[in-house]
Amino acid sequence: MWSGASHVRAGNLVPAFSGCRSLHIAAGLSVQAQRPQKRPEPVEIPGLEPITYWDRMHYVPGLADPKCPKWDRGWEDPFHRRGPKYEEMPLYKEKPCYTFHQRTKMLEGVKQALWLTKSKLIEGLPKQILQIAADSANYFEDQDERVKAAISQARFWTTTEIRPKRNRFCPVLLQNLLHLCRILQPRFPTLGNRTLAENYRVTAMWERGFRDGYPFPHAHTVYITEHSAHKARFKPEPLRAKMIMFTFANAFARAKLLYGEEPKVLDNPITVQCIATNGRMFQFLVLQLNTTDLQSNDGIKNLIWLDQDQLLYDYAKCLPAIRKKMIQVPAGLSGYCPETFNKFLAMYLYGAV
């Protein structure tokens, strides 16, 4: 089932916000959002011609603004070219198409993503993955010590900064953990049939960006690193919704390739996994695509298993946190949680054990 599968890492883009409205809060006052002031629309009275400052050739208070004719340059300026209206474009459609990209944050989070993908949420991971995570025979030698070394290498040894940036240590940590998982390839030879593709693309039309005849057409696990700037960072709820949408996109594109464009209940369900992390907290998700018929709410639905907010470690401090001359958090790595990496390893091994 998993032959020809691939690991996929979705690269993140820094969201750009435009036209944001600031929110001011004052004690004892109501909260109001400042809105941009709109210019009053000109009043036109039939039979009366407004007096403008067109003849004066400069602005005059009290006179109306003139309606200037469109200036014809006599040649086409590429820097001031006016494109056609949307209604005049040849590919214009009356029915709108909504695009979900990596900067999209859903207002309702997971609830909205479940409705869009016609899925049912199940808390926790499937029992098959939990059995792999609990079996010590699937571990490698000195596993906990190697994972701690991987965390320290990402947080302390790759930079001389006292507090490294998230966009630096988060991708390094993910690469280190995947490198540790590859140690088990001699024990499970089918892991060699997988590859890691970074910054892949799944278009809004559910068409995959891998080429025809690509030897790894089926995404096994999607990895998402959340290391954006503080104001543009995804909170856990929108991040989990993003995981659902991108995992569903991979499974849906695979179903279209195998079963055609007609909506139907799949003979063999398609399973895709997803792991998201901000360098400290992990989100685990497994999606089972049972149907591509998303028109109605009745009938068979897709299934999603979600294990959320799993800490790999509590703190990684270059300097101790001291308060009132007492060390609150010691320097170095503290609060390592081996269960989180066991789940990470189990999802990597799923299909090969």
Side-chain angles (χ1 to χ4, degrees), residues 110-247:
V110 173
K111 183 179 179 181
Q112 184 177 1
L114 292 175
W115 182 84
L116 290 174
T117 58
K118 193 183 179 181
S119 303
K120 178 182 178 181
L121 181 64
I122 302 175
E123 295 293 339
L125 292 176
K127 61 179 181 179
Q128 296 89 341
I129 295 180
L130 295 179
Q131 290 174 357
I132 299 175
D135 190 359
S136 59
N138 300 322
Y139 302 165
F140 49 83
E141 186 179 358
D142 299 331
Q143 177 171 303
D144 293 341
E145 297 302 325
R146 291 189 178 186
V147 175
K148 292 180 182 179
I151 299 174
S152 299
Q153 195 269 344
R155 294 300 303 264
F156 307 129
W157 304 340
T158 60
T159 180
T160 57
E161 299 178 0
I162 297 179
R163 188 174 183 179
K165 301 296 183 182
R166 191 181 300 270
N167 59 357
R168 181 181 181 87
F169 70 80
C170 185
V172 175
L173 176 60
L174 178 60
Q175 292 288 354
N176 291 347
L177 297 181
L178 290 175
H179 176 71
L180 293 177
C181 294
R182 297 189 192 103
I183 297 176
L184 298 174
Q185 181 171 340
R187 193 185 308 176
F188 306 103
T190 54
L191 293 176
N193 298 331
R194 303 175 184 174
T195 186
L196 176 65
E198 297 188 21
N199 299 325
Y200 80 109
R201 298 189 65 181
V202 176
T203 66
M205 295 297 180
W206 306 110
E207 296 176 355
R208 197 173 185 81
F210 295 153
R211 60 184 182 275
D212 294 339
Y214 188 67
F216 308 99
H218 184 193
H220 180 274
T221 306
V222 180
Y223 296 96
I224 300 177
T225 56
E226 177 48 44
H227 54 263
S228 305
H230 178 69
K231 294 183 179 180
R233 189 175 303 162
F234 275 68
K235 293 183 179 180
E237 183 68 13
L239 179 60
R240 289 188 285 266
K242 178 180 176 180
M243 295 171 61
I244 294 176
M245 295 299 294
F246 275 94
T247 307

Side-chain angles (χ1 to χ4, degrees), residues 186-313:
R187 193 185 308 176
F188 306 103
T190 54
L191 293 176
N193 298 331
R194 303 175 184 174
T195 186
L196 176 65
E198 297 188 21
N199 299 325
Y200 80 109
R201 298 189 65 181
V202 176
T203 66
M205 295 297 180
W206 306 110
E207 296 176 355
R208 197 173 185 81
F210 295 153
R211 60 184 182 275
D212 294 339
Y214 188 67
F216 308 99
H218 184 193
H220 180 274
T221 306
V222 180
Y223 296 96
I224 300 177
T225 56
E226 177 48 44
H227 54 263
S228 305
H230 178 69
K231 294 183 179 180
R233 189 175 303 162
F234 275 68
K235 293 183 179 180
E237 183 68 13
L239 179 60
R240 289 188 285 266
K242 178 180 176 180
M243 295 171 61
I244 294 176
M245 295 299 294
F246 275 94
T247 307
F248 178 82
N250 283 272
F252 196 83
R254 181 63 177 171
K256 291 281 188 177
L257 183 63
L258 294 177
Y259 299 100
E261 297 290 333
E262 183 180 358
K264 59 182 299 186
V265 177
L266 306 184
D267 298 333
N268 295 319
I270 297 177
T271 304
V272 181
Q273 304 176 151
C274 184
I275 299 177
T277 179
N278 60 359
R280 178 170 170 262
M281 184 177 295
F282 283 74
Q283 316 283 343
F284 302 101
L285 183 143
V286 179
L287 182 142
Q288 178 176 308
L289 185 68
N290 298 320
T291 178
T292 58
D293 185 8
L294 309 178
Q295 296 298 327
S296 63
N297 295 327
D298 302 329
I300 297 178
K301 294 187 177 181
N302 304 309
L303 299 179
I304 292 178
W305 289 267
L306 181 62
D307 194 4
Q308 53 190 349
D309 299 338
Q310 300 296 313
L311 287 175
L312 182 62
Y313 56 91

Side-chain angles (χ1 to χ4, degrees), residues 331-344:
L333 180 65
S334 60
Y336 168 67
C337 302
E339 296 82 7
T340 301
F341 180 75
N342 292 341
K343 296 177 182 178
F344 184 95

